[in-house]
Amino acid sequence: MNKAQRTTGGGNAQALLLVGPAGLLGVALALILAVPAPAQTESVIRVLADCTGATVLGLAALPRLHDRLRPPWRVLAVLAGIWCVTEFTVLVFEAAAVVGVPIGKLSAGQFGNFLVEISGGQVGIAVLIGSGAVACYSAMAFRRPETASADLVLVFAAVALALRPITGHMSQQPFGSVLAAVHALAAASWFGLLIALALVVRTRGEWAVTLPRYSAVALPLVGIVTVTGLVNGLVRVGGIAPFVTTGYGRILLAKTLVLVGLLALGWWWRRNWVPQATGHRMPAESSLRRAIIEVAVMAVAFGLAATLAVTA
């Protein structure tokens, strides 16, 4: 590996480091828009869990994007472990909310009853099993990468990411569970694949090969996210006025505006970034910088979405 490759590889970590602050910015914006509704502190942990889970999904999907790409198993194991921990924390917050006590006063017995007797707790256990299985398998795959299957991780990650949307508030509507799950998986794939490229791709030649393939995959994913998001939002809000008169509606409107911004950015990237990268006319550092910008904006949308998920 030459000096340029080492420099770009070290800079790839910036993509991951910016996700957390950008996601928290989205949460902060959502909490401001939700006033006078009480602040949902669970959304802070929820966005970290959602972004980490999406990154795990994207890393596992890399071989599907290009057969020369291989998941970085050590990174996958670490991220899946973090995902499992954040999902457990989300579960503790949910239990405290259901029981009706501050999180610091939630007893082990109350938490156990929530896990056993409440559907949300049972779903949470399944999510923990899925993320924990990914972490364990990735750790073993790091030791024996020649026999590891990224598809197995991809399936477990996808199921774990879809479980909460399937059982969320949209499940009470006709086809609501399907729309919510499709929306969540499309958004996670759109975000996760790009951050996976930012973490793994190191050279101009690699960007020239992988970016056009990502762009081709991202286009239908964006369409799915847009259509399912609009349908879910209109059903949930039930009209136009609530978009400005309710906290939920205002957050949803902000998320829609961020999505419009992402669509405009994606259109510009397809006209500018993709052709230059494909033609080997753009340095790897410049491609990485553009990927980080888009990932950061996506993380803001994830922060808004995480707050929506816990807002009545």
Side-chain angles (χ1 to χ4, degrees):
M1 183 181 293
N2 59 36
K3 183 177 179 181
Q5 287 175 308
R6 287 195 300 270
T7 301
T8 306
N12 287 15
Q14 298 175 44
L16 185 59
L17 294 175
L18 281 179
V19 169
L24 294 177
L25 175 62
V27 170
L29 176 60
L31 294 179
I32 293 172
L33 293 172
V35 174
Q40 301 292 337
T41 53
E42 176 192 341
S43 56
V44 173
I45 302 298
R46 185 71 176 265
V47 68
L48 297 178
D50 291 347
C51 288
T52 308
T55 304
V56 169
L57 182 75
L59 288 169
L62 281 175
R64 293 279 181 170
L65 191 64
H66 195 283
D67 55 13
R68 280 193 274 173
L69 295 175
R70 293 290 179 268
W73 291 111
R74 176 185 287 179
V75 175
L76 248 177
V78 172
L79 289 176
I82 295 172
W83 182 23
C84 190
V85 171
T86 53
E87 288 289 358
F88 179 80
T89 308
V90 168
L91 206 52
V92 173
F93 272 95
E94 290 180 349
V98 170
V99 175
V101 299
I103 190 169
K105 294 185 178 180
L106 180 69
S107 68
Q110 291 172 325
F111 184 57
N113 289 337
F114 169 76
L115 295 178
V116 174
E117 299 177 2
I118 306 298
S119 61
Q122 295 163 5
V123 169
I125 291 175
V127 174
L128 288 178
I129 292 173
S131 56
V134 169
C136 293
Y137 183 84
S138 298
M140 291 187 294
F142 172 66
R143 298 293 181 183
R144 299 178 180 177
E146 65 281 355
T147 60
S149 171
D151 286 345
L152 188 60
V153 173
L154 185 61
V155 169
F156 270 87
V159 171
L161 286 169
L163 280 173
R164 278 204 173 90
I166 286 175
T167 57
H169 57 257
M170 283 302 298
S171 62
Q172 302 173 13
Q173 307 294 334
F175 303 106
S177 294
V178 175
L179 287 173
V182 170
H183 180 80
L185 288 176
S189 300
W190 181 23
F191 172 88
L193 275 171
L194 185 57
I195 195 171
L197 290 179
L199 288 168
V200 171
V201 175
R202 299 175 184 273
T203 67
R204 179 187 303 186
E206 290 175 345
W207 279 109
V209 173
T210 58
L211 185 61
R213 298 199 177 198
Y214 170 75
S215 181
V217 171
L219 187 60
L221 290 176
V222 171
I224 292 171
V225 170
T226 302
V227 172
T228 55
L230 285 174
V231 173
N232 286 348
L234 289 173
V235 170
R236 174 66 173 169
V237 173
I240 301 301
F243 278 97
V244 293
T245 60
T246 66
Y248 188 97
R250 289 190 293 270
I251 298 171
L252 184 59
L253 180 60
K255 181 187 171 188
T256 302
L257 292 176
V258 173
L259 178 60
V260 170
L262 282 168
L263 291 173
L265 183 62
W267 173 81
W268 175 247
W269 283 163
R270 286 179 67 87
R271 290 175 58 88
N272 179 274
W273 177 20
V274 176
Q276 290 189 46
T278 304
H280 296 262
R281 299 191 304 273
M282 181 172 288
E285 293 82 357
S286 298
S287 287
L288 175 61
R289 192 180 307 116
R290 284 163 174 75
I292 292 173
I293 291 171
E294 187 164 351
V295 162
V297 178
M298 287 182 186
V300 174
F302 267 65
L304 293 164
T307 310
L308 278 178
V310 297
T311 301

